[in-house]
Amino acid sequence: MKSTLVELSDRVAAAIVEVCPMPADQVDAQLRRAQDERFGDYQSNCAMGLGKRLGIAPRALADRIAGALTIADLCDPPEVAGPGFINLRLRAEYVAARLAEIPPAPAAGTDRLGLAPAESPQVVVVDMSSPNLAKELHVGHLRSTVIGDCVSRLLEFAGHTVHRVNHVGDWGTQFGMLLAYLRRTQPSVLERPEALRLDNLEEFYIAAKALFDADPAFAAESRETVVALQRGDADVRAVWQAFCTESLRHCHEVYDRLGVRLTDRGESFYRDRLAEVIDAFHSAGLAQVSDGATCVFLDGFTTRDGGPLPMMIRKSDGGYNYATTDLAALRHRVHELGADRIVYVVGVPQKQHLEMLFAAARKVGWAPDAFTLTHLAFGSMLGPDGTPFKTRTGGTVKLRDLLDEAVERARRVVENDAESGGRRADFDAVTIDRIARTVALGAVKYYDLSHAMGSDYRFDWNTMLALEGNTAPYLLYAYARIRSIGRKAGIQFDALSRETAITLSHPSELRLAKKLLDLGDVLKHVTVELRPNLLTDYLYDLSKAFSTFYDRQHGVRVIDAEPPALRLSRLRLCDLTARTLKLGLHLLGIDTVEQM
Ligand code: ARG
């Protein structure tokens, strides 16, 4: 079944071909959702450009195209407005019939609400989270992890095969210092590497760095340790392995809490493939050695004073760069994982690095034109006052502490009885705890995902946990409320079959239904653009449309609607809203609760 947007575009395109002498494959219906509902649901802007091209007044052309449109099964008669916009408004019967086709929710697995997966599935690597193991996961890693998870879910839902790759920094010069310090402070690590516990990686790093700066002998030892590590010295390797395992254990505690799964593939994985990278650039005639370092010069990259900016792939001391590993990783993903696309969920500061990486990969022939390389660049999470996010004492905020605080704050929101102002009596402690955890995680994730990705945002507990507004608590509450409508109505939503006819008579009912019908086109758009905030906006709009629909004054009666067929129709709309919210939240990585 075609989406409404595609169906309408096809119809408009057919009308254009009928009216204008032009080949069908050159026609662009320029159909989009209308900005203002008062003028319709969709709008085609095709007449403006076409009119100019053909030398016909756009308004007259729009009239002719509108006249040629065969669209009565979907829309009211089209209206031409302004300089030549063609406005289309969906008919209630069409909307009702389309919604009625949605199959019941499956007993298990993801409820797709009748949406088909993509016709040409791809293999996509999502490079996400990717902390450096020397440090604890901090709030800066939240964005990459949460956005990467959401993007992976969207792509998977669309039918693509996704590899979520955690490109952890587990290799490089800083490890010399850490390993030397580890050997010094915990000599037993060599006998029993599996027993290593580092409760506070941050403190460990700071202590190692302090010694490194103060003690030249230790600094020298650190440098020797890097060389030994790279040479493959068995003892050093064992200490390194122990350190990485322990560090990753910390990371996965947080990933588990976030409900995010990913595959660790650290930079060290590519260490034996780095020399090949250099060779490949040399054989392609793309590498230049200057001052002993190997560099790649790419068109369009310049330093501040206009000189060429090289991408360094080998240092003068023979060591490799961050970029070298990224090139090896890219090649591995294309050639060995069979990827058609790589999405890098990495902060804005690495924009230039990734641009150079993409340009170099294209030039050396590892990424053909059809291969998509995307940098999903996200801004920083700032403190409430707009300065970098820090603890009160100026330290970095650990992700696990942040999540603990979120649960405590969410508990207060959940425990509080909005009506009496006291503590709610209908939930026991276990239930409150369970709901608080879901609300807390949901709030943190949703708040992050609801911001335009490229910009910085301010972290603000009160906004993210508010029960009103574009927040997870509002949506989770909306979902739970609809589920309780089902219980109050004494009806099993799941039992409402495809045969339950849908009638859309009241404006609030029709508006809600149109929003529900939008889901497929919205998801497609969100997945093409990889912009989760478009999905959060949609879910918020949907919830608002529901609350008007369910409002005694502005909406309709539902549980006590008469006759019974109308009651069932409205309950079916309730169910479709709940299912849409649940799917949308699931794609954002957020679980729902049945009561709240
Ligand atoms: N470990 C890096 C950092 O913390 C991020 C890695 C991003 N991914 C990549 N393929 N470069 O800055």
Side-chain angles (χ1 to χ4, degrees):
M1 189 66 178
K2 271 191 221 164
S3 86
T4 302
L5 195 64
V6 173
E7 185 69 59
L8 292 173
S9 294
D10 288 354
R11 302 283 180 100
V12 174
I16 295 175
V17 173
E18 218 181 293
V19 173
C20 309
M22 64 190 296
D25 60 352
Q26 278 179 30
V27 172
D28 178 3
Q30 293 203 34
L31 199 83
R32 47 216 59 168
R33 204 160 281 106
Q35 297 287 342
D36 187 334
E37 285 169 33
R38 281 175 305 171
F39 303 125
D41 302 315
Y42 296 88
Q43 174 183 320
S44 165
N45 299 347
C46 65
M48 264 66 74
L50 268 180
K52 211 181 215 167
R53 235 172 77 191
L54 302 173
I56 310 175
R59 174 105 199 182
L61 184 60
D63 279 328
R64 271 152 67 186
I65 296 171
L69 260 174
T70 320
I71 210 163
D73 52 335
L74 281 88
C75 298
D76 293 339
E79 279 167 19
V80 174
F85 303 119
I86 304 171
N87 291 333
L88 302 173
R89 192 186 300 278
L90 295 178
R91 289 178 49 201
E93 293 78 4
Y94 167 78
V95 178
R98 291 296 308 266
L99 290 184
E101 283 164 22
I102 297 174
T110 306
D111 177 6
R112 303 189 60 92
L113 282 119
L115 299 173
E119 278 150 26
S120 36
Q122 293 191 317
V123 175
V124 186
V125 168
V126 177
D127 184 308
M128 57 186 277
S129 197
S130 308
N132 292 330
L133 290 191
K135 299 262 186 100
E136 195 96 23
L137 278 188
H138 59 79
V139 298
H141 297 112
L142 180 72
R143 298 214 73 190
S144 181
T145 309
V146 168
I147 296 168
D149 183 48
C150 172
V151 160
S152 301
R153 285 166 184 258
L154 287 166
L155 291 165
E156 274 162 3
F157 184 78
H160 304 298
T161 301
V162 177
H163 295 278
R164 300 142 173 256
V165 177
N166 196 13
H167 188 79
V168 291
D170 62 353
W171 200 246
T173 43
Q174 77 278 25
F175 280 86
M177 173 185 95
L178 293 166
L179 301 183
Y181 191 71
L182 191 56
R183 243 184 346 209
R184 217 178 245 213
T185 51
Q186 304 201 31
S188 66
V189 64
L190 264 178
E191 280 99 71
R192 298 183 52 226
E194 69 290 347
L196 176 68
R197 284 289 173 273
L198 292 169
D199 290 330
N200 195 324
L201 286 170
E202 210 69 26
E203 270 171 21
F204 181 81
Y205 180 89
I206 292 168
K209 180 82 171 70
L211 187 61
F212 184 90
D213 290 338
D215 179 351
F218 177 71
E221 187 186 329
S222 299
R223 281 189 273 273
E224 281 155 29
T225 310
V226 184
V227 177
L229 176 68
Q230 281 166 351
R231 204 173 44 218
D233 184 290
D235 277 1
V236 178
R237 277 284 165 92
V239 178
W240 168 76
Q241 194 61 62
F243 180 84
C244 292
T245 306
E246 172 63 1
S247 257
L248 279 168
R249 188 182 62 79
H250 282 246
C251 295
H252 279 272
E253 259 173 36
V254 175
Y255 297 144
D256 288 348
R257 280 184 74 174
L258 288 171
V260 171
R261 48 172 192 85
L262 33 59
T263 308
D264 301 324
R265 182 155 281 161
E267 294 185 19
S268 63
F269 176 84
Y270 307 99
R271 62 181 182 247
D272 298 330
R273 303 165 195 248
L274 300 176
E276 293 163 21
V277 170
I278 311 296
D279 291 346
F281 277 87
H282 273 302
S283 337
L286 296 170
Q288 281 177 38
V289 179
S290 71
D291 293 335
T294 310
C295 294
V296 178
F297 288 89
L298 301 155
D299 301 336
F301 294 95
T302 49
T303 58
R304 220 170 276 166
D305 38 355
L309 176 71
M311 178 185 202
M312 204 196 282
I313 55 174
R314 188 159 202 186
K315 299 181 218 167
S316 53
D317 66 3
Y320 298 104
N321 299 73
Y322 180 53
T324 327
T325 299
D326 255 327
L327 282 165
L330 187 148
R331 185 192 203 185
H332 173 262
R333 291 163 184 182
V334 180
H335 293 170
E336 288 170 63
L337 296 181
D340 302 298
R341 176 177 195 185
I342 310 177
V343 179
Y344 293 83
V345 189
V346 181
V348 170
Q350 296 197 34
K351 183 167 182 284
Q352 189 174 59
H353 162 71
L354 289 167
E355 278 171 359
M356 293 181 100
L357 173 69
F358 298 172
R362 298 239 185 251
K363 218 164 173 185
V364 78
W366 295 344
D369 286 345
F371 190 93
T372 320
L373 287 163
T374 310
H375 176 201
L376 274 191
F378 54 84
S380 312
M381 185 163 113
L382 304 171
D385 58 355
T387 60
F389 196 88
K390 294 275 185 230
T391 59
R392 229 162 294 165
T393 52
T396 44
V397 179
K398 285 183 205 161
L399 211 37
R400 50 175 162 164
D401 295 340
L402 182 99
L403 295 178
D404 286 343
E405 184 167 355
V407 175
E408 275 330 301
R409 287 178 181 262
R411 192 190 310 278
R412 273 176 255 152
V413 173
V414 174
E415 259 173 6
N416 190 23
D417 189 340
E419 271 154 41
S420 71
R423 204 190 141 112
R424 56 192 298 169
D426 51 342
F427 290 159
D428 58 26
V430 178
T431 309
I432 288 192
D433 192 65
R434 192 172 40 79
I435 299 174
R437 279 173 199 284
T438 306
V439 171
L441 270 186
V444 171
K445 289 184 181 184
Y446 190 92
Y447 190 67
D448 192 296
L449 294 168
S450 61
H451 286 85
M453 196 162 1
S455 24
D456 297 346
Y457 76 85
R458 291 180 187 205
F459 194 86
D460 178 5
W461 287 117
N462 291 337
T463 315
M464 87 180 70
L465 284 164
L467 281 164
E468 287 299 328
N470 187 8
T471 67
Y474 175 72
L475 293 183
L476 289 171
Y477 181 73
Y479 174 81
R481 179 156 165 249
I482 302 172
R483 298 294 293 171
S484 84
I485 293 170
R487 292 191 292 271
K488 265 189 231 150
I491 190 151
Q492 284 284 322
F493 275 148
D494 315 343
L496 291 168
S497 69
R498 229 193 276 230
E499 279 74 57
T500 310
I502 294 179
T503 351
L504 305 169
S505 44
H506 192 271
S508 70
E509 203 169 27
L510 183 57
R511 248 191 102 237
L512 173 65
K514 285 180 179 174
K515 280 273 168 247
L516 290 168
L517 185 60
D518 246 359
L519 174 71
D521 283 326
V522 169
L523 283 183
K524 223 189 270 176
H525 185 53
V526 172
T527 309
V528 168
E529 302 273 320
L530 296 182
R531 280 170 60 193
N533 67 309
L534 300 178
L535 179 55
T536 58
D537 286 351
Y538 166 74
L539 295 174
Y540 180 48
D541 282 348
L542 175 68
S543 301
K544 283 191 293 187
F546 181 83
S547 89
T548 311
F549 157 83
Y550 198 67
D551 186 89
R552 278 264 159 208
Q553 204 187 339
H554 305 286
V556 295
R557 291 172 173 263
V558 176
I559 299 179
D560 52 0
E562 291 285 354
L566 190 61
R567 177 176 186 264
L568 286 182
S569 164
R570 290 182 178 160
L571 285 170
R572 188 135 189 243
L573 288 180
C574 292
D575 180 41
L576 288 172
T577 308
R579 288 170 64 191
T580 303
L581 286 175
K582 189 179 174 116
L583 172 62
L585 288 166
H586 167 77
L587 293 173
L588 296 170
I590 299 172
D591 285 335
T592 44
V593 285
E594 292 299 306
Q595 40 175 352
M596 189 172 147

